[in-house]
Amino acid sequence: MKLGFGLYKHMLDTKHYNFAKQCGATHLVIHLVDYFGHNKDNADQPIGGEEGWGKAGSPSEIWSLEDLMAIKKEINDHGLELEAIENFDPAHWHDILLDGPKKELQMENLKQLIRNVGKAGIPTFGYNFSLAGVAARNQGPYARGEAVSVGMDGGDDTPIPNGMVWNMVYDENAPAGTLPKIDHEELWNRLQYFLDEILPVAEEAGVKMAAHPDDPPMPYVRNTPRLVYQPDMYQKLIDLKPSPSNNLEFCLGSIAEMIEGDVYEATDTYSKQGKISYIHFRNIVGKVPKYKEVFVDDGDIDMFKILRILKKNNFDGVLIPDHTPQMTCDAPWYAGMAYAMGYMKAALALLNQ
């Protein structure tokens, strides 16, 4: 197993590469979507609200091969490997999610993007096929010692306005109104189209498409259905389009928050199949619709038990700390991440004795 680190777009610089390496990371998972265009001052993780995270990117500019190779070289020059890019920009695939008139054009652009990712030598692309995206969460002093963290305290049925999907605004001039309500079957049909189109291209490009479970894992969020809100729904996604490129972005926190199933059984099942590309290694207390994100050593999940299961099944992918509570000091995000990384590095060393 490899120790990795996740960086948002505004963190792709020497300062953060060095911090990741100082913490013991060898690999990076990066975001190229700018979730923080409206809030650079407190950019630890995006929370949003009814207005979402802000404006999506340019619909006409997918990430070019030249840009990807430049980012990869910069990361490699700092002694790190680029393991994955996480998430499409909503501007690039909103009509794929919404079954809109531009979906075929957008799909061709996504195919080219995945070809670019493969040519750049980046092995994995994570995605979250969701209309509401990561929504309905709040922030407060939820972790040990009143450390600021993220949680959920009930659902959110607020309809999504036209021009917004995946918690970002792709069309500021959209007509008034909200997204029409659809059922789960329709959302799965849209996913089927996406997988049928993208997976053959990903196979040829040598890229694993890694699906994130719903966060938070509720049947509906903001009046829209969700895909993977119970552990066995991951199997449905895998079976929907059998392919060596049809993989999982396995978030331990999201799995543990689910009402059904068991996080240890799910970890065993999917790692045994060799379907986990990389893991968000975070801990929680509670289940939806009421849960809190906590320090890695202080939640409902026995994290070392997870590591033993992964070792048993010969998982050799990357673990990243994902979110972590912010610590009370002059650098809350850095201290929280360093704490999580120290725990993970020590746990892996102990596991490999």
Side-chain angles (χ1 to χ4, degrees):
M1 282 175 272
K2 307 173 186 77
L3 188 58
F5 202 84
L7 291 177
Y8 294 120
K9 181 178 180 180
H10 64 282
M11 297 173 172
L12 300 179
D13 56 30
T14 294
K15 173 183 174 182
H16 289 91
Y17 300 148
N18 287 345
F19 177 71
K21 194 166 176 79
Q22 289 161 14
C23 285
T26 56
H27 290 67
L28 292 183
V29 174
I30 69 170
H31 297 254
L32 296 180
V33 183
D34 186 5
Y35 318 110
F36 299 101
H38 65 304
N39 182 22
K40 287 285 196 297
D41 295 331
N42 185 29
D44 60 299
Q45 66 164 304
I47 301 299
E50 289 186 17
E51 305 304 317
W53 294 333
K55 196 174 185 308
S58 170
S60 59
E61 297 177 10
I62 62 168
W63 304 319
S64 71
L65 175 59
E66 293 74 21
D67 289 342
L68 295 175
M69 290 185 69
I71 293 169
K72 185 173 186 292
K73 182 180 186 304
E74 186 176 81
I75 288 169
N76 292 161
D77 287 348
H78 285 82
L80 297 160
E81 294 295 326
L82 177 50
E83 178 68 14
I85 297 172
E86 190 164 320
N87 295 331
F88 294 110
D89 193 305
H92 297 158
W93 74 325
H94 56 80
D95 269 10
I96 295 170
L97 295 170
L98 297 170
D99 193 30
K102 297 178 182 177
K103 77 173 184 179
E104 292 183 3
L105 173 61
Q106 290 182 350
M107 182 56 73
E108 291 308 309
N109 287 339
L110 290 197
K111 289 177 183 178
Q112 185 58 52
L113 172 56
I114 295 304
R115 292 186 190 103
N116 293 346
V117 169
K119 287 178 182 177
I122 303 166
T124 306
F125 199 102
Y127 71 96
N128 178 211
F129 201 95
S130 171
L131 305 188
V134 181
R137 304 180 306 162
N138 54 30
Q139 193 174 56
Y142 301 144
R144 184 176 57 217
E146 297 188 344
V148 173
S149 186
V150 170
M152 185 182 190
D153 188 18
D156 182 357
D157 297 327
T158 308
I160 298 173
N162 290 332
M164 175 189 282
V165 74
W166 208 77
N167 222 10
M168 298 187 80
V169 176
Y170 67 87
D171 183 0
E172 293 176 298
N173 300 310
T178 59
L179 295 187
K181 188 167 185 178
I182 62 169
D183 58 21
H184 288 92
E185 182 180 4
E186 170 62 21
L187 190 60
W188 279 98
N189 288 340
R190 295 179 189 182
L191 175 69
Q192 180 79 68
Y193 168 78
F194 170 74
L195 294 179
D196 286 346
E197 294 289 326
I198 205 72
L199 287 176
V201 175
E203 286 181 32
E204 187 176 343
V207 176
K208 306 284 189 185
M209 301 300 299
H212 194 290
D214 287 305
D215 182 8
M218 298 278 289
Y220 287 87
V221 169
R222 296 201 67 175
N223 208 37
T224 64
R226 312 284 262 178
L227 281 174
V228 181
Y229 57 90
Q230 304 296 2
D232 62 345
M233 292 171 177
Y234 250 157
Q235 192 65 53
K236 181 178 178 180
L237 186 150
I238 292 169
D239 295 342
L240 202 61
K241 180 71 174 178
S243 165
S245 287
N246 191 8
N247 271 34
L248 309 178
E249 176 188 336
F250 201 76
C251 179
L252 292 170
S254 296
I255 300 291
E257 292 156 15
M258 295 176 180
I259 295 296
E260 298 175 3
D262 177 275
V263 67
Y264 308 110
E265 290 178 7
T267 303
D268 186 45
T269 296
Y270 298 116
S271 61
K272 198 175 291 180
Q273 293 181 47
K275 281 297 181 182
I276 299 177
S277 284
Y278 63 97
I279 294 175
H280 286 180
F281 199 80
R282 65 178 176 90
N283 214 333
I284 56 92
V285 170
K287 292 183 177 292
V288 292
K290 293 180 182 290
Y291 70 87
K292 302 291 183 281
E293 296 182 11
V294 296
F295 288 106
V296 67
D297 62 332
D298 195 36
D300 293 344
I301 309 172
D302 181 339
M303 304 303 272
F304 201 77
K305 182 175 180 179
I306 294 288
L307 292 176
R308 286 198 297 265
I309 293 169
L310 294 171
K311 183 177 182 180
K312 171 179 70 76
N313 292 336
N314 299 311
F315 174 73
D316 193 35
V318 171
L319 311 170
I320 69 169
D322 198 29
H323 329 146
T324 189
Q326 300 180 67
M327 302 186 80
T328 306
C329 62
D330 291 338
W333 180 85
Y334 295 96
M337 282 291 174
Y339 183 90
M341 292 287 284
Y343 175 94
M344 293 167 69
K345 190 168 178 60
L348 287 174
L350 183 61
L351 185 75
N352 292 325
Q353 280 185 347

